[in-house]
Amino acid sequence: MACCTNCFFCQCCCREGDTRTPEELTILGEIRDEEHEILPRKDYESLDYDCCINEPYVEVLEGMDNKKAKKYEAVRWIMVFAIGVTVGLVGLFVDFFVRLFNNLKFTLVGKSVEECAGRGCLALSLLQLLAFNMTFIFIASILVLIEVSLL
C-alpha cells in the first residue's frame, strides 16, 4: 500500500507494508541481496546528523502519537537553541578575555620598552614578555593536568 505522506511517522495508512527506505534497510542489515545494494551514502549525499536509524529509536518513534511527537521535536529544538546560545556566550567570553589580556600584556611590555630604550636593557623587556606568555601556558597546562587526573 502506498503511503499518503500526510501522516506523522506514517501511522495511519502504512502499517501493513514495509515503511522503511532501501537505505534504512541496508543500514539495519535487513537487505543482503546484491541487486538491492545501494551506493555508500558518502558517495552521493552530504552528512545528515539528524537522521538516526536504529531499531530502538524507530520503535519509540512508531509508538508516539502526534501530540507527543510534536512536543518531543519542540524540546529537541529548544535544547539545540540553548546549546547554540551557550556556545556563543562561551565564544564571547573567550574573545573578551583574550583581548583584555593582550591589551594588558602589550601595555606592560610597551612601558618596559620605553623605559629600557634609553638604558639599553631591551633584553629585560623581552624576558618580561616571555614570562607573561609562559605564565598563561603554565596555568593552561595545570588545568589540563587537573582535568586528566579527575578522570
Side-chain angles (χ1 to χ4, degrees), residues 78-143:
I78 290 170
M79 289 302 297
V80 167
F81 178 76
I83 290 169
V85 168
T86 304
V87 168
L89 290 174
V90 167
L92 284 174
F93 176 79
V94 168
D95 184 56
F96 173 76
F97 280 101
V98 165
R99 289 176 192 250
L100 179 74
F101 286 127
N102 271 339
N103 287 339
L104 178 66
K105 176 173 67 173
F106 290 121
T107 301
L108 290 174
V109 172
K111 286 180 185 177
S112 176
V113 167
E114 288 173 6
E115 290 174 2
C116 290
R119 294 184 291 167
C121 60
L122 288 177
L124 187 63
S125 298
L126 182 61
L127 288 175
Q128 191 177 21
L129 179 65
L130 181 67
F132 194 87
N133 288 335
M134 291 301 287
T135 301
F136 288 106
I137 291 171
F138 180 72
I139 292 170
S141 63
I142 293 296
L143 289 174

Side-chain angles (χ1 to χ4, degrees), residues 20 23-31 53-55 58:
R20 295 195 180 123
E23 289 90 359
E24 291 172 342
L25 292 172
T26 302
I27 290 170
L28 292 172
E30 295 179 10
I31 292 181
I53 304 169
N54 58 37
E55 285 293 328
V58 171

Side-chain angles (χ1 to χ4, degrees), residues 41 45-52:
R41 288 181 158 219
E45 286 185 6
S46 63
L47 295 176
D48 186 7
Y49 293 107
D50 192 35
C51 188
C52 180

